[in-house]
């Protein structure tokens, strides 16, 4: 399978959003929510003090432009009130009062600016990855993209083909619905592509504006947690079939796993006011099942040398710290401690979804791992599905 990965480029959301500001906004909007008395403890338990968003917090919390009358319009409302016998003066007062009531943003108001930001951030990450690989846009033979939280057609692949620009014969592979597994699965796909043609150059770009799932009107505990967890990030990396001077990691094997009957545990729903991330409390236990299956894959892969082999770094995005703790509890006792340190470090500034594994990989690269170190990359996503890769640091 051998594929070679150059250093990833990571562009964090440039608007710092402190947890204290989110807590204040939510507390002011939902003072009577069942979880309101516990909000400080819930926020502290995430371990996140600030996260970067592509757009400021005010962009998520601002009211829509239409007012409470929305698509109905003032004319229709005036006619309805007049038919009920209201005087013109009363009608005017009622219409003015309704128009003054703030309404949620529409899908377009919420998504359009985020989609523009995703394209801008994605382009910056792509250019950074090409520079790190010592390549130009003209060298790219295939582009793999993912951006699950800003649905668009054409998507990020076509946008980047124009912006970079890429050659007209480049293969474009958009993978919008990969979500949190985009980091590992895109690398697995890229590895398959360069295995078929070692001279092929694959550029992977993932740009996620997860802040679009911040929905001010939601008053559920799950919505509160979503508000507190997510960060916006764009990442990119180049994969080649031949080792280059710039290569930092060789990918040797990939593993995929999907749990049947779990598609309702985590999902995005598009409603009148935008994108909502819905999660079930059974989710972490399902993710744990994929972790157990991954341990078995590694055990079988190294069954001829079970005592001597262990990863030197584990770059994992399982969706939250609860599953990271499970991974530490269930990995073989002979493995060294601290394998998940880079993953934990990444989580202190937010859950980056599909961009997370590249961010964790970049942190490991910047630390300077010893050549020959064995690395395992893992991610799980709504579905519920997971992908892992195993390789060696160069």
């Amino acid at each position: 399978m051998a594929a070679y990965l150059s250093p990833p480029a990571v562009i964090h959301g440039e608007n710092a959003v402190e947890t204290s500001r989110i807590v204040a906004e939510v507390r002011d909007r939902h003072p009577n929510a069942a979880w309101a008395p516990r909000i400080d403890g819930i926020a502290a338990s995430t371990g996140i003090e600030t996260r970067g968003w592509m757009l400021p917090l005010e962009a998520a919390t601002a009211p829509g432009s239409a007012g409470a009358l929305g698509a109905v319009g003032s004319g229709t409302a005036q006619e309805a009130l007049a038919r009920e016998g209201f005087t013109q003066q009363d009608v005017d007062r009622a219409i003015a009062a309704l128009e003054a009531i703030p309404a949620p943003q529409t899908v377009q108001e919420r998504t359009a600016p985020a989609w523009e930001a995703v394209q801008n951030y994605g382009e910056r990450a792509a250019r950074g990855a090409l520079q790190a690989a010592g390549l130009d846009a003209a060298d790219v033979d295939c582009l793999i993209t993912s951006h699950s939280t800003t649905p668009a057609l054409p998507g990020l692949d076509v946008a980047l083909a124009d912006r970079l620009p890429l050659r007209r014969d480049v293969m474009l592979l958009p993978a919008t619905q990969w979500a949190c597994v985009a980091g590992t699965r895109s690398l697995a796909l890229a590895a398959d592509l360069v295995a078929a043609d070692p001279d092929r150059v694959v550029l992977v770009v993932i740009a996620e504006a997860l802040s679009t799932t911040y929905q001010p009107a939601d008053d559920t505990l799950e919505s509160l947690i979503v508000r507190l967890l997510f960060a916006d990030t764009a990442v990119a990396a180049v994969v080649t079939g031949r080792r280059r001077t710039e290569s930092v990691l060789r990918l040797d094997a990939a593993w995929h796993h999907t749990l049947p009957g779990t598609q309702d545990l985590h999902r995005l729903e598009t409603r009148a006011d935008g994108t909502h991330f819905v999660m079930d409390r059974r989710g972490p236990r399902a993710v744990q099942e994929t972790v157990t299956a991954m341990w078995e894959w590694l055990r079988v892969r190294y069954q001829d040398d079970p005592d001597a082999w262990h990863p030197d770094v584990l770059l994992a995005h399982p969706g939250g710290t609860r599953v990271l703790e499970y991974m530490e509890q269930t990995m073989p006792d002979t493995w060294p401690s601290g394998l998940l340190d880079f993953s934990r470090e990444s989580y202190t500034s937010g859950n980056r979804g599909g961009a997370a594994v590249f961010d964790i990989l970049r942190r490991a690269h910047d630390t300077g791992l010893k050549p020959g170190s064995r690395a395992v990359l893992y991610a799980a996503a709504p579905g519920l599905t997971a992908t892992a890769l195993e390789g060696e640091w160069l």
Side-chain angles (χ1 to χ4, degrees):
M1 176 185 178
Y4 298 89
L5 178 67
S6 296
V10 180
I11 310 296
H12 301 291
E14 294 174 350
N15 293 279
V17 179
E18 297 81 7
T19 295
S20 58
R21 293 175 59 202
I22 293 176
V23 169
E25 194 277 332
V26 175
R27 178 181 282 122
D28 181 65
R29 193 179 296 269
H30 301 290
N32 300 317
W35 40 258
R38 299 184 288 124
I39 188 171
D40 290 319
I42 294 171
S45 69
T46 66
I48 304 169
E49 294 185 358
T50 186
R51 75 283 293 138
W53 285 4
M54 295 181 184
L55 300 173
L57 176 62
E58 291 74 18
T61 59
S65 60
L69 289 174
V72 173
S74 61
T76 301
Q78 286 178 347
E79 293 175 3
L81 291 170
R83 285 197 301 270
E84 295 297 321
F86 288 90
T87 66
Q88 187 59 47
Q89 185 178 26
D90 289 337
V91 169
D92 292 342
R93 288 175 179 172
I95 295 299
L98 288 171
E99 289 179 336
I101 298 174
Q105 296 179 51
T106 64
V107 174
Q108 181 180 11
E109 288 175 321
R110 190 65 191 278
T111 304
W115 167 230
E116 182 63 29
V118 161
Q119 296 174 79
N120 292 335
Y121 273 73
E123 179 184 354
R124 291 168 57 192
R127 293 187 182 279
L130 289 170
Q131 182 178 14
L135 296 169
D136 297 320
D139 297 314
V140 176
D141 300 301
C142 176
L143 172 66
I144 302 173
T145 60
S146 185
H147 58 102
S148 300
T149 47
T150 47
L153 183 65
L156 185 60
D157 58 326
V158 174
L160 293 179
D162 287 340
R163 285 169 174 249
L164 291 176
L166 301 179
R167 301 191 321 265
R168 294 189 178 186
D169 64 343
V170 167
M171 182 191 305
L172 303 180
L173 294 175
T176 302
Q177 293 171 312
W178 274 350
C180 296
V181 82
T184 53
R185 193 155 294 172
S186 61
L187 292 180
L189 175 57
D192 286 341
L193 291 169
V194 299
D197 180 359
D199 293 322
R200 183 176 282 154
V201 174
V202 180
L203 173 63
V204 175
V205 183
I206 303 164
E208 288 289 14
L210 291 166
S211 58
T212 56
T213 63
Y214 190 109
Q215 295 297 344
D218 283 359
D219 62 356
T220 65
L221 176 60
E222 289 73 21
S223 178
L224 169 64
I225 295 172
V226 167
R227 287 174 167 93
L228 294 168
L229 289 184
F230 286 149
D232 296 347
T233 315
V235 297
V238 171
V239 179
T240 59
R242 304 188 191 279
R243 181 171 179 174
R244 299 174 53 81
T245 303
E246 298 83 2
S247 301
V248 297
L249 178 65
R250 187 188 71 238
L251 303 173
D252 294 328
W255 165 89
H256 306 283
H257 193 77
T258 300
L259 293 177
T262 56
Q263 63 180 351
D264 62 328
L265 297 185
H266 310 86
R267 61 191 186 276
L268 285 179
E269 292 183 354
T270 301
R271 304 175 188 170
D273 56 350
T275 302
H276 294 245
F277 184 77
V278 182
M279 57 184 180
D280 191 288
R281 296 182 184 181
R282 298 171 295 162
R285 185 169 296 279
V287 176
Q288 290 172 7
E289 290 188 40
T290 70
V291 172
T292 302
M294 179 184 65
W295 294 153
E296 178 62 13
W297 169 63
L298 290 171
R299 185 194 67 78
V300 173
R301 179 166 169 75
Y302 287 95
Q303 60 186 339
D304 294 334
D305 200 11
D307 297 324
W309 181 88
H310 63 75
D312 298 292
V313 63
L314 183 53
L315 313 175
H317 174 60
T321 55
R322 179 176 169 186
V323 184
L324 286 177
E325 293 171 357
Y326 176 81
M327 295 179 79
E328 289 177 330
Q329 294 166 2
T330 57
M331 66 178 61
D333 294 336
T334 56
W335 288 10
S337 61
L339 295 181
L340 289 164
D341 285 353
F342 297 115
S343 300
R344 289 190 175 280
E345 179 186 342
S346 179
Y347 270 99
T348 62
S349 52
N351 180 326
R352 293 176 170 80
V357 165
F358 279 34
D359 175 65
I360 300 166
L361 180 67
R362 182 72 209 196
R363 293 169 190 268
H365 169 265
D366 290 346
T367 298
L369 293 181
K370 184 175 67 174
S373 298
R374 301 301 299 183
V376 172
L377 289 67
Y378 162 88
L384 194 138
T385 183
T387 292
L389 300 110
E390 194 267 326
E392 182 176 299
W393 218 261
L394 303 175

